Amino acid sequence: MRRIFTPLPYFLPAEPEPFVKLFREHGVPRLVKKGEFLKRGGEEQKLFFLEEGLCAYYAAEALDHRPMVISVILPGRVMGDMTASIRTRCNVFTRALKNSRVLTIPPEVLAHAIEVDSDLAAIEIRSIIAKEESLLEGVAANSLRPPAERLVIYAKALCRSFGVRADADGWNRLPLKLPAKTIGEVVNLNRVSVTRLLIHWMEVDAIRKDGRTLYFHQRLFDAVDDWLENRSPVVTLP
């Protein structure tokens, strides 16, 4: 699942507690509707802490490009800190995938906090590095892995991000219900390709569906290697 770094691809690591506390103390609540942009590419720094819902970083939203998600933002994550902490800008779009609730603070609050507290600065550096490595892992997966593996890696990383483990029969319940189109934007596939893979795995009983909830069998997860597990794949994808 991981090829280079420790963090998982596609999903940023959870925020360290000191930064959660900073947003709880200084944050202003804001409701964000599905599809709404919190920050457009190239804008000045903005900071958000996702309390509920789901957001994503997009690499491009131009009309002549297929949207590409570079990371799905789960609750408990800060958005915008990688630029706000060093007072720079980047051409990334932050958008709500579902109706969400965020806390927002002025970027100066974060910048000042890490400037006056060396311990907090050290925590921020480690957090930023982990987030950047997670983004790079996603790029590596989409560049190096075949389509079927990307989809399994997405599902496995999602389950690990939520702490989901297989049940007694080996089934892993995916904690998010995302349409095939959105999943495709994450793993750089189109909706049709994602749907075909899911249907094929259903036919061989490698995944199951209950309403909109997907269950991936552990044998799919075991088929993708992880350098931290220090082993080669023991099974192949069906």
Side-chain angles (χ1 to χ4, degrees):
M1 177 169 58
R2 288 168 283 207
R3 300 305 293 259
I4 304 170
F5 301 109
T6 299
L8 304 178
Y10 303 129
F11 302 94
L12 298 182
E15 215 61 42
E17 184 57 34
F19 292 100
V20 176
K21 182 179 178 181
L22 187 71
F23 274 84
R24 299 283 188 211
E25 292 178 350
H26 300 280
V28 176
R30 172 182 166 186
L31 298 179
V32 185
K33 294 183 179 180
K34 178 181 177 180
E36 182 179 343
F37 288 102
L38 290 86
K39 182 176 178 293
R40 294 182 177 272
E43 287 185 338
E44 293 289 345
Q45 299 87 23
K46 295 180 180 179
L47 270 175
F48 308 94
F49 176 78
L50 183 61
E51 288 197 300
E52 292 183 4
L54 198 66
C55 295
Y57 287 145
Y58 281 81
E61 279 293 317
L63 294 178
D64 57 344
H65 288 76
R66 187 178 74 188
M68 180 180 292
V69 172
I70 52 179
S71 189
V72 177
I73 312 299
L74 305 175
R77 276 71 172 171
V78 171
M79 298 171 280
D81 57 327
M82 287 185 280
T83 52
S85 60
I86 57 173
R87 305 186 183 188
T88 187
R89 291 187 286 177
C90 65
N91 190 27
V92 170
F93 293 78
T94 307
R95 189 178 192 179
L97 295 178
K98 295 183 177 181
N99 291 340
S100 302
R101 186 177 75 229
V102 302
L103 296 174
T104 178
I105 63 173
E108 293 77 15
V109 173
L110 173 62
H112 177 72
I114 61 178
E115 285 173 0
V116 302
D117 187 337
S118 60
D119 290 337
L120 195 62
I123 294 172
E124 173 70 349
I125 290 171
R126 289 194 294 269
S127 177
I128 292 298
I129 290 173
K131 289 180 178 181
E132 289 179 341
E133 290 178 349
S134 174
L135 295 174
L136 287 170
E137 276 290 347
V139 172
N142 285 348
S143 301
L144 301 173
R145 300 296 187 98
E149 282 195 18
R150 284 181 239 159
L151 187 52
V152 174
I153 290 167
Y154 160 86
K156 186 175 180 179
L158 174 59
C159 287
R160 296 299 176 265
S161 295
F162 277 90
V164 173
R165 299 291 173 177
D167 63 18
D169 296 319
W171 292 101
N172 296 269
R173 178 182 180 275
L174 264 62
L176 292 182
K177 303 176 182 66
L178 293 179
K181 177 177 180 294
T182 302
I183 296 174
E185 291 171 0
V186 177
V187 299
N188 197 26
L189 297 171
N190 60 38
R191 178 186 58 81
V192 173
S193 297
V194 172
T195 301
R196 284 175 177 169
L197 283 168
L198 295 178
I199 290 174
H200 168 67
W201 284 329
M202 287 182 198
E203 291 173 346
V204 297
D205 200 32
I207 71 170
R208 294 177 179 176
K209 192 173 183 180
D210 181 7
R212 295 177 57 225
T213 301
L214 289 174
Y215 293 80
F216 275 62
H217 198 272
Q218 186 63 34
R219 70 177 183 272
L220 285 178
F221 288 178
D222 290 342
V224 294
D225 63 315
D226 185 330
W227 71 270
L228 287 177
E229 296 173 1
N230 195 29
R231 63 173 177 79
S232 299
V234 294
V235 291
T236 57
L237 293 177

